[in-house]
Short mmCIF file of all heavy atoms in Angstrom, two decimals:
data_model
loop_
_atom_site.label_atom_id
_atom_site.label_comp_id
_atom_site.label_asym_id
_atom_site.label_seq_id
_atom_site.Cartn_x
_atom_site.Cartn_y
_atom_site.Cartn_z
N ARG I 15 24.69 -27.43 36.29
CA ARG I 15 25.91 -28.20 36.24
C ARG I 15 26.35 -29.12 37.42
O ARG I 15 26.67 -30.21 37.22
CB ARG I 15 27.05 -27.10 35.99
CG ARG I 15 27.04 -26.36 34.73
CD ARG I 15 28.29 -25.52 34.51
NE ARG I 15 28.57 -24.57 35.63
CZ ARG I 15 28.05 -23.47 35.75
NH1 ARG I 15 27.34 -22.99 34.79
NH2 ARG I 15 28.40 -22.66 36.75
N GLY I 16 26.04 -28.53 38.54
CA GLY I 16 26.39 -29.32 39.81
C GLY I 16 25.58 -30.63 39.75
O GLY I 16 26.01 -31.73 40.15
N VAL I 17 24.27 -30.53 39.53
CA VAL I 17 23.35 -31.68 39.55
C VAL I 17 23.81 -32.64 38.50
O VAL I 17 23.92 -33.92 38.55
CB VAL I 17 21.92 -31.33 39.43
CG1 VAL I 17 21.05 -32.62 39.28
CG2 VAL I 17 21.46 -30.47 40.52
N ALA I 18 24.09 -32.13 37.26
CA ALA I 18 24.52 -32.96 36.05
C ALA I 18 25.77 -33.81 36.46
O ALA I 18 25.96 -34.92 35.95
CB ALA I 18 24.81 -32.13 34.85
N ALA I 19 26.67 -33.17 37.26
CA ALA I 19 27.91 -33.84 37.66
C ALA I 19 27.65 -35.12 38.46
O ALA I 19 28.63 -36.00 38.56
CB ALA I 19 28.80 -32.80 38.31
N THR I 20 26.53 -35.23 39.04
CA THR I 20 26.16 -36.39 39.93
C THR I 20 25.40 -37.47 39.18
O THR I 20 25.01 -38.41 39.79
CB THR I 20 25.37 -35.95 41.19
OG1 THR I 20 24.11 -35.51 40.76
CG2 THR I 20 26.16 -34.85 41.93
N LEU I 21 25.16 -37.30 37.92
CA LEU I 21 24.47 -38.28 37.12
C LEU I 21 25.33 -39.49 36.73
O LEU I 21 26.49 -39.22 36.60
CB LEU I 21 23.87 -37.65 35.82
CG LEU I 21 22.76 -36.65 35.87
CD1 LEU I 21 22.62 -35.88 34.63
CD2 LEU I 21 21.41 -37.43 36.21
N PRO I 22 24.77 -40.60 36.70
CA PRO I 22 25.59 -41.82 36.23
C PRO I 22 25.98 -41.49 34.79
O PRO I 22 25.37 -40.76 34.01
CB PRO I 22 24.56 -42.86 36.21
CG PRO I 22 23.52 -42.51 37.25
CD PRO I 22 23.34 -41.04 37.06
N ASP I 23 27.09 -42.10 34.39
CA ASP I 23 27.72 -41.88 33.15
C ASP I 23 26.86 -42.24 31.98
O ASP I 23 27.04 -41.81 30.90
CB ASP I 23 29.03 -42.61 32.95
CG ASP I 23 30.15 -42.04 33.94
OD1 ASP I 23 29.96 -40.86 34.26
OD2 ASP I 23 31.17 -42.79 34.12
N ASP I 24 26.05 -43.19 32.15
CA ASP I 24 25.20 -43.78 31.13
C ASP I 24 23.82 -42.99 30.85
O ASP I 24 23.08 -43.43 29.96
CB ASP I 24 24.74 -45.32 31.28
CG ASP I 24 23.81 -45.55 32.60
OD1 ASP I 24 23.66 -44.45 33.36
OD2 ASP I 24 23.26 -46.60 32.72
N VAL I 25 23.63 -41.85 31.50
CA VAL I 25 22.44 -41.03 31.31
C VAL I 25 22.67 -40.15 30.05
O VAL I 25 23.79 -39.45 30.03
CB VAL I 25 22.12 -40.07 32.56
CG1 VAL I 25 21.09 -39.12 32.21
CG2 VAL I 25 21.63 -41.00 33.76
N ASP I 26 21.86 -40.30 29.12
CA ASP I 26 21.93 -39.49 27.86
C ASP I 26 20.87 -38.46 27.84
O ASP I 26 19.71 -38.71 27.93
CB ASP I 26 21.77 -40.41 26.75
CG ASP I 26 21.78 -39.65 25.28
OD1 ASP I 26 21.96 -38.48 25.26
OD2 ASP I 26 21.61 -40.36 24.27
N ALA I 27 21.28 -37.19 27.98
CA ALA I 27 20.36 -36.09 28.02
C ALA I 27 19.39 -35.86 26.86
O ALA I 27 18.34 -35.32 26.93
CB ALA I 27 21.02 -34.73 28.35
N THR I 28 19.72 -36.63 25.80
CA THR I 28 18.87 -36.52 24.56
C THR I 28 17.84 -37.65 24.52
O THR I 28 16.95 -37.63 23.69
CB THR I 28 19.73 -36.60 23.24
OG1 THR I 28 20.35 -37.89 23.28
CG2 THR I 28 20.82 -35.54 23.30
N ASP I 29 17.99 -38.50 25.54
CA ASP I 29 16.95 -39.57 25.69
C ASP I 29 15.66 -39.04 26.27
O ASP I 29 15.68 -38.42 27.34
CB ASP I 29 17.43 -40.61 26.56
CG ASP I 29 16.51 -41.90 26.76
OD1 ASP I 29 15.37 -41.78 26.30
OD2 ASP I 29 16.92 -42.77 27.40
N PRO I 30 14.52 -39.12 25.59
CA PRO I 30 13.28 -38.64 26.09
C PRO I 30 12.94 -39.14 27.45
O PRO I 30 12.33 -38.31 28.25
CB PRO I 30 12.19 -39.13 25.05
CG PRO I 30 12.98 -39.38 23.77
CD PRO I 30 14.28 -39.77 24.22
N ASP I 31 13.34 -40.26 27.76
CA ASP I 31 13.10 -40.76 29.22
C ASP I 31 14.15 -40.26 30.13
O ASP I 31 14.07 -40.71 31.37
CB ASP I 31 13.05 -42.31 29.22
CG ASP I 31 11.71 -42.86 28.67
OD1 ASP I 31 10.84 -41.98 28.55
OD2 ASP I 31 11.65 -44.08 28.41
N ALA I 32 15.02 -39.43 29.73
CA ALA I 32 16.05 -38.71 30.69
C ALA I 32 15.95 -37.18 30.47
O ALA I 32 16.81 -36.44 30.73
CB ALA I 32 17.44 -39.17 30.41
N PHE I 33 14.72 -36.73 30.06
CA PHE I 33 14.51 -35.27 29.78
C PHE I 33 14.68 -34.51 31.04
O PHE I 33 15.26 -33.44 31.04
CB PHE I 33 13.10 -35.13 29.18
CG PHE I 33 12.80 -33.63 29.03
CD1 PHE I 33 13.13 -33.17 27.77
CD2 PHE I 33 12.15 -32.95 29.88
CE1 PHE I 33 12.80 -31.75 27.41
CE2 PHE I 33 11.75 -31.60 29.66
CZ PHE I 33 12.18 -31.05 28.45
N ALA I 34 14.31 -34.96 32.21
CA ALA I 34 14.28 -34.27 33.41
C ALA I 34 15.11 -35.09 34.49
O ALA I 34 15.12 -36.29 34.44
CB ALA I 34 12.95 -33.79 33.95
N THR I 35 15.62 -34.44 35.47
CA THR I 35 16.43 -35.03 36.57
C THR I 35 15.71 -34.68 37.90
O THR I 35 15.38 -33.50 38.07
CB THR I 35 17.82 -34.55 36.62
OG1 THR I 35 18.55 -34.89 35.43
CG2 THR I 35 18.63 -35.13 37.69
N VAL I 36 15.53 -35.76 38.72
CA VAL I 36 14.95 -35.63 39.98
C VAL I 36 16.18 -35.51 40.93
O VAL I 36 17.15 -36.32 40.87
CB VAL I 36 14.18 -36.85 40.41
CG1 VAL I 36 13.59 -36.67 41.80
CG2 VAL I 36 13.14 -37.15 39.32
N SER I 37 16.37 -34.48 41.80
CA SER I 37 17.50 -34.29 42.64
C SER I 37 16.97 -33.83 44.04
O SER I 37 15.92 -33.28 44.23
CB SER I 37 18.41 -33.32 42.11
OG SER I 37 17.85 -32.02 41.93
N LEU I 38 17.89 -34.11 44.98
CA LEU I 38 17.64 -33.69 46.39
C LEU I 38 18.95 -33.02 46.81
O LEU I 38 19.95 -33.62 46.83
CB LEU I 38 17.33 -34.89 47.41
CG LEU I 38 17.18 -34.47 48.88
CD1 LEU I 38 16.21 -33.52 49.17
CD2 LEU I 38 17.00 -35.78 49.63
N ASP I 39 18.83 -31.70 47.21
CA ASP I 39 20.00 -30.93 47.68
C ASP I 39 21.13 -30.98 46.69
O ASP I 39 22.27 -31.08 47.05
CB ASP I 39 20.41 -31.44 49.06
CG ASP I 39 19.31 -31.29 50.08
OD1 ASP I 39 18.41 -30.39 49.87
OD2 ASP I 39 19.32 -32.00 51.10
N GLY I 40 20.75 -30.93 45.33
CA GLY I 40 21.74 -30.87 44.39
C GLY I 40 22.29 -32.16 43.91
O GLY I 40 23.23 -32.35 43.07
N VAL I 41 21.87 -33.36 44.46
CA VAL I 41 22.35 -34.65 44.10
C VAL I 41 21.21 -35.37 43.23
O VAL I 41 20.18 -35.52 43.75
CB VAL I 41 22.71 -35.45 45.35
CG1 VAL I 41 23.19 -36.98 44.87
CG2 VAL I 41 23.81 -34.81 46.06
N ALA I 42 21.59 -35.75 42.06
CA ALA I 42 20.69 -36.52 41.20
C ALA I 42 20.25 -37.89 41.72
O ALA I 42 21.06 -38.62 42.19
CB ALA I 42 21.28 -36.73 39.80
N LEU I 43 18.96 -38.13 41.71
CA LEU I 43 18.40 -39.39 42.23
C LEU I 43 17.84 -40.18 41.17
O LEU I 43 17.75 -41.42 41.21
CB LEU I 43 17.36 -39.14 43.30
CG LEU I 43 17.72 -38.27 44.44
CD1 LEU I 43 16.52 -38.04 45.27
CD2 LEU I 43 18.78 -38.91 45.27
N ALA I 44 17.31 -39.61 40.08
CA ALA I 44 16.60 -40.28 38.94
C ALA I 44 16.39 -39.41 37.82
O ALA I 44 16.73 -38.23 37.88
CB ALA I 44 15.15 -40.59 39.53
N VAL I 45 16.07 -40.03 36.69
CA VAL I 45 15.69 -39.31 35.53
C VAL I 45 14.41 -39.74 35.09
O VAL I 45 13.91 -40.86 35.40
CB VAL I 45 16.81 -39.44 34.45
CG1 VAL I 45 18.03 -38.71 34.65
CG2 VAL I 45 17.03 -40.87 34.07
N CYS I 46 13.67 -38.84 34.36
CA CYS I 46 12.29 -39.25 33.87
C CYS I 46 11.93 -38.52 32.48
O CYS I 46 12.77 -37.65 32.02
CB CYS I 46 11.32 -38.99 34.90
SG CYS I 46 11.15 -37.08 35.21
#
């Protein structure tokens, strides 16, 4: 939940290219 709260609003978790989140110390940096 904490990492998800730092994602941009346009990230759709159902998008195959946003299946996973890259984060550092709980802050999202990228999706893949």
Side-chain angles (χ1 to χ4, degrees):
R15 293 190 303 274
V17 174
T20 67
L21 287 166
D23 292 339
D24 64 349
V25 170
D26 179 2
T28 65
D29 180 353
D31 282 348
F33 178 86
T35 298
V36 185
S37 63
L38 172 61
D39 299 335
V41 177
L43 304 175
V45 289
C46 64

